[in-house]
Amino acid sequence: GNSVTQMEGPVTLSEEAFLTINCTYTATGYPSLFWYVQYPGEGLQLLLKATKADDKGSNKGFEATYRKETTSFHLEKGSVQVSDSAVYFCAYDDYKLSFGAGTTVTVRA
Amino acid sequence: NAGVTQTPKFRVLKTGQSMTLLCAQDMNHEYMYWYRQDPGMGLRLIHYSVGEGTTAKGEVPDGYNVSRLKKQNFLLGLESAAPSQTSVYFCASSYRHEQFFGPGTRLTVL
């Protein structure tokens, strides 16, 4: 069946480091793909999305490109800040959202 | 706009007790969802609704019931709580593929 697999954490980085979180999916057809972020003590919120192959989603310095050939949607940020410490979820949408297990990212000053 | 709100924020139950979690949204969204979040397992869909008066099962519906009597409210019920239902519960509503989440309810079943 359809599923999404993301890189296991936790990930600990220093400020201004480069962040990559891998996400791959298996699906029939071409679902929309999403990254959601959950800050401590809060619900999830949409970070970025891409609805078709080769689309690039971007927000708050984060980017992810929908790669059909590798069935991937990796999240990247060139220079992280302490405020980026959160749990990041990759998700895909056929008729409902299905989430990866989440990757905890901690950025140290 | 309050967005998606959930009550209560925290609850402790004893095994066998019942309770209802309330979710409300003021965005006039048709679709609403209940998830549970457990460590290392991401979010798992319990039940969802595509409109007032309709509900459907998600991945992990056993032990839960839901009702959507009004468009803005989506209730999640536990008839006889079990320790395995200790979790953080999130409600969400959606519009055009974007889901909007509530702040969560932390439930502990002893």
Side-chain angles (χ1 to χ4, degrees), chain B residues 20 31 34 39 44 53 55 68-69 74 77 79 96 108:
Chain B
T20 301
Y31 287 60
W34 274 107
R44 294 181 292 169
T55 62
R68 185 99 182 268
L69 299 179
F74 194 30
E79 290 187 349
R96 291 188 178 180
T108 301

Side-chain angles (χ1 to χ4, degrees), chain B residues 15-35:
Chain B
T15 297
Q17 287 185 317
S18 63
M19 77 163 294
T20 301
L21 282 67
L22 172 63
C23 176
Q25 53 99 0
D26 61 2
M27 297 174 282
N28 203 35
H29 291 166
E30 293 290 342
Y31 287 60
M32 296 187 74
Y33 310 81
W34 274 107
Y35 295 92

Side-chain angles (χ1 to χ4, degrees), chain A residues 34 36 38 44 89 93 96, chain B residues 37 45 90 97 99 101:
Chain A
F34 305 82
Y36 277 78
Q38 184 180 29
L44 280 71
F89 293 91
D93 183 1
K96 59 176 177 61
Chain B
Q37 183 178 28
L45 183 64
F90 287 99
H97 298 283
Q99 295 208 359
F101 284 81

